[in-house]
Amino acid sequence: MAIFTRLTDPPVPHKALPPPAPVPVSGGTPPQRPLRDNPIFVLLAIGLLVAALVALVTLADRSTGLSPALLSEVVLYALVAVDLTMLGALGFVLARNVIKLLVERRRALPFARFRAKLVAAMLGLALVPAVLVLIVGSELIRNSATRWFAPPIDDVLAAAREIASDYYQDTQVQTSRQAVRLARLLSTAGIERGDVATIRARVSPEVASGRSTLVEVYRIGSEINPLEVTPLFDVAAPTVPRDVPRASADRLAARVAGGSADTRVIEPLGSGGEMVRTAALVRLPDVMEPVGVVIVSEHLSGSLAQHSRRIVEAYEGYQQLRVLRRPIEGVYLSFFLMMTLFILVSATWLGLYTAKRITRPIGLLAAGAREIGQGNFDYRIEPETADEFGQLVEAFNTMAGELDRSRAEVQRKSREVEGRGRYIETILKRIATGVISIDARGRINTMNSAAARLLGLDQTSLGQSFDEVFSRADLRPLLSIPQAAARTRGGTAGHEIALLRDGRDLHLAVAATPLRDEGSSEGTVLVFDDVTPLIRAQRVSAWRDVARRLAHEIKNPLTPIQLSAERLRRHFITAAPPTRELVDECSTNIIGAVESLKGLVDEFSQFARMPAPKAVPCDLHALLDEALALYTSLPRLTVAKEYDPAMPVIRVDPEQFKRVVINLVDNAVEALASLHGGVPASAAGTISVQTLWDEPHLLARLVVADDGPGLGEADRSKLFLPYYSTKGRDSGLGLAIVRRIVVEHGGTIEASDRAPRGAAFTMELPA
Amino acid sequence: MRLRAMLLLACWLGLATSAWADASVRVETTLHAGEVRVSFQVTDAVSDAVRAAIQSGLPTTFAYDVSLQQSSRWWFDRTIAYMRLSAIVRFDNLTRRYQITFIEDGRVEEVRTTDDEARALQWLTEFHGRRLSAHRLVDDGEYHVNVKAQTRPRMLGWAWPWTPGSVLGSVSFRFRP
């Protein structure tokens, strides 16, 4: 019977705890951290990136000094390639993050939104300044480039270049004219003959007059090579430096003699100046055959040449800058774009990295908390860092360890409590004392089987109001007990209640104890003890005492009365017949009454001095046969025996058992006789005697039944009381003796009505 | 906004190819004593940008990749001869003279100077009778002479530098001895 299960609620703790799962992290080799999470690797990568940026900055700074081919075909290519790579990386990282966010949200994975928010925040923080830097920088470059090529500078440089160039052009034109004029002058000077004196005479005045600075004359043709040029004469003004090399003049003469139209050359001098040379062919007047070459040179001072070169270099640098404006702008814009993308990629990566650094230990902690929540108290997290998160992980592991120890302690105590609870439950189940607990709201909380049996309740009463359940007519006397207990203020209220259940008196000793915890009422516990047998025993004891006294007080005078009556009868045996008949009749009545009183007193005496049974192993069926043999003389009475062949040997007192059987059968005979005048000899009917061996309970069951008038409802509860008789002419001790013998054998006896009529006494004796 | 960005990109791409926008290469081949000689001329080769680069004194290279390929019906054409010609022009803004250095397969062949711009440009864009191959040609074989011309430095924008920046010309002939 599970009525008392609530007493041990809540459920046993250790059953709710699953067995420890294998430790996933703790112990063994810690998992290898990915390379990207290695701080050294991250620092190295950052260092390399910074170095690359520095190199790029340096390169961009020197971009104007780089060769145009390198600038436009290498640097620009590299920067654009880097830009595109970083753009792709940024797109990839963002797309991957978005896709990952969607997937993780669909899978309801933790921290996906946090990671996305952190990345978005970092990107948003970096995006605005980076794009602003890009826009401002681009505009700055464009404005700077526009200012580079502003009209004043352009005009000044162009004009300066024109001046320098025109001066050179004029010098070249003058030398060219002078060379042509000298060539005509020398056409008849006998160059083909090598007439140096004539040549000197015609050339020297030109130099002396200052029209030419340096004149060199060559003769064309020799015996070996007709195109070979041979220097014949040269004359120089004093202003011509001494270090003027002749080689360039020789090459120019040879080139012109060879028919080249390129007759001019500008030769830089070691002293810093330049020589502007122009050659002209000397032809014979009639046949126009070239016979010589005259070179007229003009010396440009070092400062003039240097200034002119500087002007031209500046102009060319300016123009080249204009030509290369687009690649240079491209380099700068690419660089700015690269910086912007680098910032965005770095912000994105930093967001992801930071989110990972934050969420990973938190995720591990969450997973650990889930494991702990599922009862895996052996779960530990391997700390990956020594920072605050690492300390948090260490604290978690410490907490898990403490929880593990606490769990073990709780399990141990739980087992103790469970054992104690089972012990108490067993006690409450086994004891004959009924226990009912009522909660603070007046509802029945628990009820053991004894209480249910005594009060005729079942499990449906649990949870119901005490007042409703005990408002039943037979239980109403118990209704006021909890209130009475509450008035005791912590004490125990004892009551003795008599209930009428199933037509029988039930005497209960009820103890009600209010439950209090820190002053508040938590209900009441009612304890019921069935004291009916005790009451009954007290009554029997009292009756036995009365019987003993009656037997003593009544039996003593009976013998003298009987003897006196017999003496009177003997005395009057010789008297007259009427007197003798009167005396005989009176003495006979007196002696009969005395005998009857003696029998009555003997029964009283027997009931009062009934000895303790001396149980020995007996064959019940043999004892039954011996007892039932007394009734074979009754002609109209049928005794039907129905013995269970499986009946084993039972330990009983043979005489007392026969007494029980005789008393029960006597009772049945008298019941049958009551239908036919009340004389036992006139009893007619059937008395069935049935035995049954109850193997599961090891009980020998004996049923004596008749088809007489049956038992009255009112009499049924008093049948076994001493001196209670429905016939009014016997002692009323028969069934009381039966009950006493049966009880002293450890058995029980019950009386019941049979259908359609008759009564049955069922006796159970332990084997 | 998107249309503006696309137009800007198109402008950049257009600028990248403007140097040879209207140029074309006319190629002629001659066979002389078993040699394949090539003459080619690039018309409208010098754009304003290239002219400005030359006038700025920037050494400007006109590079030509000349190849002789034998046609193959079932496979790629086989290159049987290759020549790389370069003409580097340097304009001296002081003397207003053009100095042109001719390089063939990495060797300096000739240096010419002139103060005539037209002549200088002609030297840069016209090549005559260049000996390409002395290989024995297959009778009735079909051949192609391809000339790819390009200038350096390339005056490119920064948006997309990977533009071809060159112009191609070719001529085919069938060898019949």
Side-chain angles (χ1 to χ4, degrees), chain A residues 69-80:
Chain A
L70 180 67
L71 185 68
S72 64
E73 296 189 12
V74 178
V75 177
L76 187 59
Y77 273 70
L79 287 175
V80 174

Side-chain angles (χ1 to χ4, degrees), chain A residues 204-232:
Chain A
S204 295
E206 292 291 328
V207 175
S209 64
R211 284 195 290 267
S212 298
T213 304
L214 173 62
V215 177
E216 293 161 304
V217 181
Y218 292 83
R219 185 179 66 184
I220 300 175
S222 65
E223 294 178 356
I224 301 172
N225 185 1
L227 292 178
E228 183 181 2
V229 292
T230 306
L232 284 180

Side-chain angles (χ1 to χ4, degrees), chain A residues 610-623:
Chain A
M610 185 172 290
K614 296 177 180 175
V616 294
C618 297
D619 182 1
L620 283 188
H621 295 161
L623 295 176

Side-chain angles (χ1 to χ4, degrees), chain A residues 73 77 162 165 262 264 266, chain B residues 95-97 113 115 152 161:
Chain A
E73 296 189 12
Y77 273 70
E162 287 293 330
S165 181
D262 187 10
R264 290 180 292 178
I266 296 175
Chain B
T95 60
R96 295 177 181 171
R97 291 171 64 82
T113 57
D115 51 3
R152 284 203 305 269

